[in-house]
Amino acid sequence: MTKDRPGGQPDKRRAIISGALTLFARDGYTRASLDAIAAEAGVSNRTVYNHFNDKADLFQAVIRESTQRVADTMTDLIDRHLGRSEERRVGKECR
């Protein structure tokens, strides 16, 4: 489980997740090392462990954040589409 970091640095956490996403996508879970992820993120290996218990914990965070971004994007698209559809329906009723 991801460690709670009340005083943690969110920019470093985001950098770690971004670096991990890049390496997991490019090299796969097995070949992506925490040392390489730390280097990609521009942080120390210790910083990675300050935010995540292990590679599996980091992978879960990457998946959670990635799926949340996709869900948010889809929700925005649906809202925009429904908003336009609703505007067209209301416009036709007013004619």
Side-chain angles (χ1 to χ4, degrees), residues 5-68:
R5 301 280 301 160
Q9 298 178 346
D11 290 340
K12 287 187 179 183
R13 183 177 177 2
R14 280 192 291 275
I16 294 165
I17 289 176
S18 177
L21 176 60
T22 298
L23 291 181
F24 289 144
R26 186 184 71 205
D27 300 338
Y29 177 82
T30 303
R31 292 184 58 202
S33 71
L34 286 179
D35 288 335
I37 291 169
E40 180 75 20
V43 300
S44 72
N45 202 10
R46 183 72 243 155
T47 300
V48 174
Y49 282 108
N50 285 341
H51 289 270
F52 303 96
N53 292 320
D54 54 24
K55 186 164 78 168
D57 186 35
L58 174 55
F59 185 72
Q60 288 176 348
V62 168
I63 297 301
R64 272 192 309 274
E65 292 207 10
S66 296
T67 55
Q68 186 60 54

Side-chain angles (χ1 to χ4, degrees), residues 82-95:
L82 292 177
R84 288 188 194 130
S85 296
E86 182 65 20
E87 290 170 10
R88 282 190 292 248
R89 187 185 62 74
V90 170
K92 287 180 183 178
E93 290 174 358
C94 292
R95 291 184 201 167

